[in-house]
Amino acid sequence: MVFEFLVVLIVSLIFGNGLLYLTGPKEKTGLVSLKEQIQEEKEEKSQTEEPNVSDLSGNVFVDEVYSVQASLRSVNEKIKLAHERINDLEASLQSINSVLISSKPETPFAVDEKIKNLDNFRRNTKIELEAIKKLLKQLKEFRKIKGKKTPLTKNKEQELNKRIHELVFNTKKEDQNF
């Protein structure tokens, strides 16, 4: 992603430089007249004296140097902004990667522990189901008994109902955990 961004940035910078080169800054009439005056003065000097190459190269290309410097400044600013954006993108990618790395994949030890927990759950459920079946048989036997229900049998039946309820809804275990 960062590589694609850099490629797009480079292509756009090359395209922008090409457009600047082709269109170029428009010269104002005041600057043109100043150039012409400077060139006329130099021509007069050159006719009277020997031409001085350092004077010609120093004064004729001053505006071009300034325009190049201005374009370089703008390009440098764009490059600084691009570097800041790239640093921001890299920082966000690192934060995303740190979040992804921090969520560790399951190790073989965790899988083994999960399998043990599931085996314990299965074993406990089988035991509880057997206990519920036995209690239901006892409850059925109490209900088959015809005749006078004594308070002792009623208490025993209520106790069996309570134990079945505790086993089915695990209420006794929850009370112990808290």
Side-chain angles (χ1 to χ4, degrees):
M1 180 173 189
V2 174
F3 177 73
E4 293 168 351
F5 174 75
L6 290 175
V7 169
V8 169
L9 180 69
I10 290 170
V11 169
S12 63
L13 285 175
I14 290 172
F15 182 70
N17 283 336
L19 284 176
L20 285 175
Y21 177 76
L22 293 176
T23 59
K26 303 295 181 195
E27 297 178 334
K28 297 181 180 176
T29 57
L31 290 177
V32 173
S33 63
L34 282 174
K35 276 187 190 178
E36 290 174 359
Q37 288 176 359
I38 292 172
Q39 287 178 354
E40 287 175 5
E41 289 176 4
K42 294 219 182 222
E43 287 176 7
E44 290 174 5
K45 279 186 182 179
S46 66
Q47 291 174 357
T48 57
E49 301 175 0
E50 291 182 9
N52 191 354
V53 176
S54 64
D55 287 342
L56 286 175
S57 64
N59 291 330
V60 173
F61 301 110
V62 171
D63 58 343
E64 291 179 21
V65 170
Y66 286 139
S67 66
V68 169
Q69 285 179 347
S71 66
L72 285 176
R73 279 189 216 121
S74 66
V75 169
N76 284 335
E77 289 297 319
K78 289 179 183 177
I79 290 172
K80 285 179 186 176
L81 289 174
H83 283 295
E84 289 176 9
R85 289 178 185 164
I86 290 170
N87 288 335
D88 290 341
L89 286 172
E90 287 176 346
S92 63
L93 281 175
Q94 286 177 351
S95 66
I96 290 171
N97 285 339
S98 66
V99 168
L100 292 176
I101 290 172
S102 66
S103 59
K104 296 178 183 176
E106 293 185 11
T107 61
F109 300 113
V111 173
D112 290 340
E113 190 170 323
K114 284 184 180 182
I115 290 173
K116 287 179 185 177
N117 288 340
L118 289 173
D119 286 339
N120 288 338
F121 174 76
R122 188 182 67 187
R123 186 174 2 96
N124 289 339
T125 355
K126 281 184 179 179
I127 292 171
E128 289 174 356
L129 285 174
E130 290 296 322
I132 291 171
K133 286 178 184 177
K134 287 180 183 177
L135 289 172
L136 285 174
K137 284 180 185 178
Q138 287 178 3
L139 186 63
K140 203 179 217 183
E141 289 173 6
F142 275 114
R143 289 190 178 161
K144 282 184 182 177
I145 298 175
K146 294 190 179 181
K148 199 174 194 186
K149 289 195 176 186
T150 63
L152 183 63
T153 57
K154 286 183 182 179
N155 286 341
K156 185 75 170 170
E157 188 177 345
Q158 286 176 353
E159 185 181 322
L160 285 173
N161 282 333
K162 184 178 176 185
R163 286 182 61 200
I164 290 172
H165 184 269
E166 287 174 355
L167 281 173
V168 169
F169 295 107
N170 291 326
T171 56
K172 193 171 188 180
K173 290 181 183 178
E174 289 178 7
D175 293 339
Q176 289 174 356
N177 291 338
F178 294 110

